């Protein structure tokens, strides 16, 4: 049922019953010549925060992928704050600006990113302890973040799960609870606009293993030929 345009013109595509040729339907297809215009453009980031002197590489995605002319023109609404060249944003001075990526095929499609240039010390990386964990359904997991550099102006993080149906996490404290078997990542993301984040890979098993066995009698004295029935309790229940 896939249709491919071969040349300019109009034709009908039929779907016909193999049992009864009288049972059929069709679609009328018109093939036109000309350019394929850009229908939308998007950036890999819609907002970023940079320190003065920092660089950030913005990339564009143009749809459709077979657009005839996918070239992009870059511009900054305030070059005193930040400049852009081939998608590379350079922070110049404290303030705010918008970086625009405009399609050059005449379609008028534009994608924009809000850029905040700050004199704050931004987060450069985040590590999570532990970096990976295996747990059973119903168990808690306590996660701890380390933010770099240690003198970052805003070291706060927000926690979230890649799949809250498998494991959920308190967004403020990094305490996670497993809900069902599967795999997910727990992220801690910087809240200073740097976009930096760290993660812990978690695998949740639906098997609950015995962690303790207790015999009903710690000690027993029997006379010859006597019997006594022992019992044992496995935990957790």
């Amino acid at each position: 049922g896939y249709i491919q345009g071969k040349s300019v013109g109009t034709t009908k595509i039929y779907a016909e019953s193999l049992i009864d040729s009288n049972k059929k339907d069709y679609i009328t297809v018109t093939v036109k010549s000309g350019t394929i215009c850009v229908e939308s453009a998007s950036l890999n980031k819609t907002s970023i925060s940079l320190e003065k002197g920092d660089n950030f590489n913005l990339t564009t995605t143009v749809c459709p992928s077979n657009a005839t002319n996918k070239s992009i023109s870059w511009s900054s609404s305030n070059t005193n704050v930040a400049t852009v060249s081939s998608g590379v944003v350079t922070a110049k001075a404290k303030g705010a600006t918008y970086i625009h990526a405009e399609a050059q095929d005449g379609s008028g499609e534009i994608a924009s990113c809000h850029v905040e240039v700050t004199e704050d010390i931004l987060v450069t990386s985040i590590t999570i302890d532990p970096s990976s964990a295996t747990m059973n359904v119903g168990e808690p997991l306590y996660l701890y973040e380390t933010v770099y550099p240690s003198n970052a102006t805003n070291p706060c993080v927000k926690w979230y799960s890649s799949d809250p149906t498998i494991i959920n996490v308190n967004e403020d404290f990094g305490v996670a609870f497993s809900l069902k078997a599967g795999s997910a990542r727990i992220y801690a993301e910087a809240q200073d606009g740097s976009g930096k984040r760290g993660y812990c890979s978690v695998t949740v098993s639906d098997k609950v293993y015995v962690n303790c066995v207790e015999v009903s009698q710690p000690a027993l004295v029997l006379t010859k030929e006597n019997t006594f029935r022992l019992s044992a309790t496995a935990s957790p229940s």
Side-chain angles (χ1 to χ4, degrees):
Y2 289 100
I3 302 171
Q4 181 182 14
K6 304 295 288 185
S7 62
V8 176
T10 300
T11 186
K12 292 179 179 179
I13 303 295
Y14 287 88
E16 182 179 298
S17 169
L18 292 176
I19 305 300
D20 183 354
S21 61
N22 291 321
K23 303 298 189 296
K24 59 185 177 181
D25 197 8
Y26 67 88
I27 179 174
T28 300
V29 179
T30 300
V31 180
K32 296 181 178 180
S33 63
T35 59
I36 301 174
C37 294
V38 173
E39 295 177 1
S40 67
S42 60
L43 293 171
N44 58 326
K45 290 285 185 179
T46 56
S47 65
I48 55 174
S49 182
L50 301 175
E51 294 178 54
K52 181 180 176 180
D54 280 353
N55 295 320
F56 188 89
N57 188 30
L58 289 173
T59 58
T60 56
T61 301
V62 172
C63 293
S65 59
N66 63 337
T68 304
N69 180 5
K70 295 191 288 185
S71 60
I72 294 293
S73 173
W74 296 90
S75 63
S76 170
S77 63
N78 189 340
T79 55
N80 292 324
V81 174
T83 59
V84 61
S85 176
S86 300
V88 179
V89 181
T90 302
K92 295 293 188 180
K94 184 177 181 180
T97 186
Y98 280 92
I99 300 298
H100 303 292
E102 183 175 0
Q104 294 299 286
D105 67 343
S107 62
E109 293 297 323
I110 298 177
S112 300
C113 175
H114 180 262
V115 178
E116 187 80 27
V117 178
T118 176
E119 294 177 350
D120 295 341
I121 300 174
L122 299 179
V123 173
T124 57
S125 64
I126 300 172
T127 59
I128 306 299
D129 183 28
S131 59
S132 62
T134 300
M135 55 196 303
N136 296 322
V137 172
E139 287 185 345
L141 177 64
Y142 299 91
L143 299 168
Y144 304 92
E145 84 280 5
T146 302
V147 176
Y148 299 95
S150 58
N151 62 338
T153 303
N154 180 5
C156 295
V157 300
K158 181 178 180 180
W159 297 87
Y160 64 94
S161 171
S162 64
D163 191 339
T165 65
I166 293 174
I167 185 166
N168 203 359
V169 63
N170 183 292
E171 67 177 23
D172 297 319
F173 302 112
V175 181
F177 294 93
S178 55
L179 303 176
K180 68 177 184 180
S183 297
R185 285 182 175 181
I186 300 297
Y187 290 94
E189 184 170 345
Q191 295 300 286
D192 63 351
S194 63
K196 301 300 181 181
R197 63 181 184 175
Y199 67 85
C200 171
S201 298
V202 181
T203 300
V204 181
S205 172
D206 57 1
K207 295 180 180 179
V208 180
Y209 294 98
V210 172
N211 58 32
C212 177
V213 177
E214 184 178 358
V215 179
S216 58
Q217 293 286 124
L220 182 65
V221 176
L222 289 177
T223 59
K224 186 179 179 180
E225 303 300 335
N226 281 357
T227 61
F228 186 90
R229 183 177 179 84
L230 291 171
S231 62
T233 303
S235 298
S237 59

